[in-house]
Amino acid sequence: LQSLIISSNPQHNIQFTYSQRMNTQMSVSGYLLLKKRGPYVATSGLRSASWKCVVGGCPYYALTLEGTFKDNEAKSHNHEKQPELFAKKEARYKLIKKIAEGAVVDTIMQ
């Protein structure tokens, strides 16, 4: 489903990573979103997932429906883009993955 979302929406520069607790997160045009619900199968038979901005107090939320990204025009982000959040989450995920594979921490940090 992630690859379908990425390929169906090239204009949004979508990337996926994981939070510290290994929850799926999606970066859309420089904004980091946390998966709130899903994927679940809607009554129409299409897979759906709900997403919310990770920045506290931001009212933005979105929906993906079988690869289609549905933007919420009524509530927009109340902050600037923060692409460094994605970089931080991705670096943490890669570090955890390397440790799980048995790599020595000293060689990872170099």
Side-chain angles (χ1 to χ4, degrees), residues 33-102:
L33 307 177
L34 173 66
K35 185 174 66 165
K36 295 303 284 182
R37 290 189 302 164
Y40 58 92
V41 180
T43 55
S44 61
L46 301 175
R47 294 174 290 179
S48 174
S50 299
W51 304 87
K52 180 164 179 23
C53 184
V54 299
V55 175
C58 181
Y60 182 82
Y61 63 91
L63 179 73
T64 53
L65 187 61
E66 200 62 43
T68 305
F69 183 78
K70 300 204 179 232
D71 200 8
N72 178 12
E73 289 117 19
K75 295 183 179 179
S76 60
H77 292 279
N78 61 1
H79 56 89
E80 296 296 317
K81 292 181 181 183
Q82 297 176 326
E84 67 277 0
L85 283 178
F86 178 80
K88 180 180 171 183
K89 303 282 183 174
E90 188 67 9
R92 179 184 290 133
Y93 171 68
K94 287 180 180 178
L95 178 63
I96 290 169
K97 190 175 172 183
K98 289 284 187 188
I99 291 171
E101 291 171 355

